[in-house]
Each structure stands twice: as structure tokens, then as C-alpha cells.
Amino acid sequence: MGDPNSRKKQALNRLRAQLRKKKESLADQFDFKMYIAFVFKDKKKKSALFEVSEVIPVMTNNYEENILKGVRDSSYSLESSLELLQKDVVQLHAPRYQSMRRDVIGCTQEMDFILWPRNDIEKIVCLLFSRWKGSDEPFRPVQAKFEFHHGDYEKQFLHVLSRKDKTGIVVNNPNQSVFLFIDRQHLQTPKNKATIFKLCSICLYLPQEQLTHWTVGTIEDHLCPYMPEIQKKMDSCSEHYTL
């Protein structure tokens, strides 16, 4: 009958070939859920956790111009960008979200989160879950790590601070798995004009081959470190799952 892994690989290759003919991506065969956690340096402060209202999969080449713009602005190297563009990568865009904190009342809204100047955020963590489209099975956690530390995006903000463009600012984490789309705004204070950078969209980069790589646990299991009310109810979850 042959090796099961070999059969699975052949089946995926056939599916990819069919999708290429239809000008679709493998990601179009999945439903996604994404959560975004802003983790604060003060461990006594609750993480700001948001659920993305809609995850939009897009093939990398659709945003090639935005990636290469980052090269021209010296945000990252041409070599690393070409390597990224040559991979069979899917982009997962998150433009809208809703707070998951029970003490915060709100509805789904466009992303509007101040990232700079502020020094209280430790990192941004994105949690991705998926299932085959049309399936009644629960969403499963995708086996990939999406984190963007404050020090990494602050360096890029300082780099673009002297530039005049107000929109179209894109920054990425070192391994190029998380891209932040940023708006620059100016606030007039009594003494001077202050520049702020606000998050308006998040994009995750995931090689298509990893779309079928899942890890164990439920959505609740993986959200519990960022929601104290869940963590109290499931205080043993951290012993079994490491994000």
C-alpha cells in the first residue's frame, strides 16, 4: 500500500496542482479563527485579548509590492524578502476584532490600538486555529508560533519616525511570520506635536505546507494564559500546553 506519509504527500501535491489550475490556494480549503493578545510587562495586568472577526487568506504575490516597499525603505533586507516571496506562503489578514475581556463591553471594530509611544507592552501574540472548510469538527491549533516583541517593532518605528509617509507603514518580526500594518497620527499637546503609531491590521505569514500541521488542545486551552477567568477554571492547563 505504500508509506502513509508518502500517500499523504502525494494527495496534497495533487490537491495543490488542482488549486493552481483554479488560481486558488490551499488556504481556501480551510476556515480560520485567530486571536490577538497584547501581553503587558506588568504580570499583574490582564492581557488585552481580542478575537478576530474574520480571517482573510491571501496569496503572497498579491501583496508583493507592499513587501518590496519595506525593502526600499530599508525596513528589512532584499535577500530575506525574496526568500519569503519564493516560498509557497499564504497570508492571513486580520483587519477587525472584538475584545475578549468580560469587563470590557464593545462590538466588532476596525483595529485601532496604540503601539507607540508606550513601554508597557512586552509582546504581541497571535493564536491561529483552523479546520477543513465545511467540517463540523472543532477548530484545532495550528502548529506555528506568532510573536512580535516590543523591542523588535520599536526599533522599526524609530527608523520610520523621520519619514513623511502617514500610511503604508509595515513592520515585521525577525522571522517574518507577523506583519503589522501601521497608521501614523499626530496629536497636538500643549507643548508640542506628538507622533503616535496605531495598529490598523495584522497579517500572519504561514507556509502552505504547515496548514495541515496541528497541535493538541482546544481554543480554550490555548487562550487560558491570556484570560485569568479561564485560567482559574483550568489552572492545570499550563502544565499540559505550552504556547
Side-chain angles (χ1 to χ4, degrees):
M1 295 292 291
D3 177 54
N5 289 329
S6 177
R7 291 199 303 271
K8 178 181 177 182
K9 185 176 180 180
Q10 291 174 3
L12 284 173
N13 287 338
R14 287 196 299 270
L15 179 57
R16 287 194 183 98
Q18 293 172 2
L19 293 173
R20 279 194 292 269
K21 291 179 182 178
K22 297 179 181 178
K23 295 184 179 180
E24 296 177 353
S25 71
L26 182 59
D28 292 321
Q29 307 305 309
F30 292 88
D31 291 321
F32 296 95
K33 274 189 177 292
M34 188 191 303
Y35 298 84
I36 303 167
F38 298 88
V39 181
F40 297 102
K41 294 177 181 178
D42 183 354
K43 299 308 176 184
K44 295 180 181 179
K45 187 176 181 179
K46 291 182 180 179
S47 297
L49 183 63
F50 297 87
E51 180 179 2
V52 174
S53 61
E54 181 185 12
V55 181
I56 305 171
V58 180
M59 287 306 296
T60 300
N61 55 11
N62 291 355
Y63 274 74
E64 180 174 341
E65 180 59 28
N66 278 335
I67 297 173
L68 295 181
K69 182 178 184 298
V71 176
R72 292 194 296 270
D73 296 336
S74 301
S75 296
Y76 35 86
S77 70
L78 175 61
E79 290 76 15
S80 63
S81 300
L82 289 177
E83 180 182 352
L84 182 65
L85 288 168
Q86 289 166 0
K87 292 179 181 178
D88 195 14
V89 174
V90 63
Q91 298 181 8
L92 299 165
H93 286 263
R96 290 173 294 278
Y97 59 23
Q98 178 172 338
S99 175
M100 293 288 291
R101 282 175 52 177
R102 295 177 182 177
D103 58 341
V104 175
I105 300 175
C107 59
T108 301
Q109 62 185 31
E110 299 294 323
M111 288 194 186
D112 184 19
F113 196 96
I114 296 176
L115 290 180
W116 193 89
R118 61 187 300 171
N119 198 38
D120 60 336
I121 298 175
E122 177 188 342
K123 60 184 177 179
I124 301 170
V125 178
C126 297
L127 306 165
L128 182 65
F129 304 84
S130 68
R131 67 184 179 191
W132 289 104
K133 192 177 290 292
S135 171
D136 293 329
E137 295 183 358
F139 283 88
R140 293 188 283 174
V142 175
Q143 192 173 19
K145 187 176 183 179
F146 303 101
E147 293 189 356
F148 205 157
H149 287 261
H150 172 267
D152 290 323
Y153 64 73
E154 184 181 53
K155 291 176 184 176
Q156 296 177 65
F157 288 162
L158 293 174
H159 177 77
V160 301
L161 194 58
S162 60
R163 300 211 312 260
K164 296 180 179 180
D165 49 321
K166 294 182 179 180
T167 60
I169 299 173
V170 185
V171 298
N172 62 278
N173 64 343
N175 64 358
Q176 297 189 0
S177 63
V178 182
F179 285 71
L180 307 180
F181 290 74
I182 304 297
D183 278 341
R184 181 207 303 259
Q185 297 183 7
H186 298 289
L187 294 179
Q188 186 65 51
T189 66
K191 294 184 178 180
N192 53 27
K193 183 184 291 186
T195 298
I196 64 173
F197 291 113
K198 301 181 79 172
L199 175 66
C200 62
S201 182
I202 285 182
C203 176
L204 304 185
Y205 272 50
L206 184 72
Q208 287 200 69
E209 64 181 14
Q210 290 184 238
L211 285 168
T212 54
H213 293 180
W214 289 285
T215 186
V216 296
T218 65
I219 290 178
E220 192 174 61
D221 293 332
H222 288 264
L223 293 185
C224 71
Y226 310 102
M227 296 187 72
E229 54 268 40
I230 293 181
Q231 199 158 18
K232 289 179 182 178
K233 187 170 63 175
M234 299 179 62
D235 56 5
S236 63
C237 73
S238 61
E239 298 177 6
H240 302 287
Y241 305 104
T242 302
L243 297 180

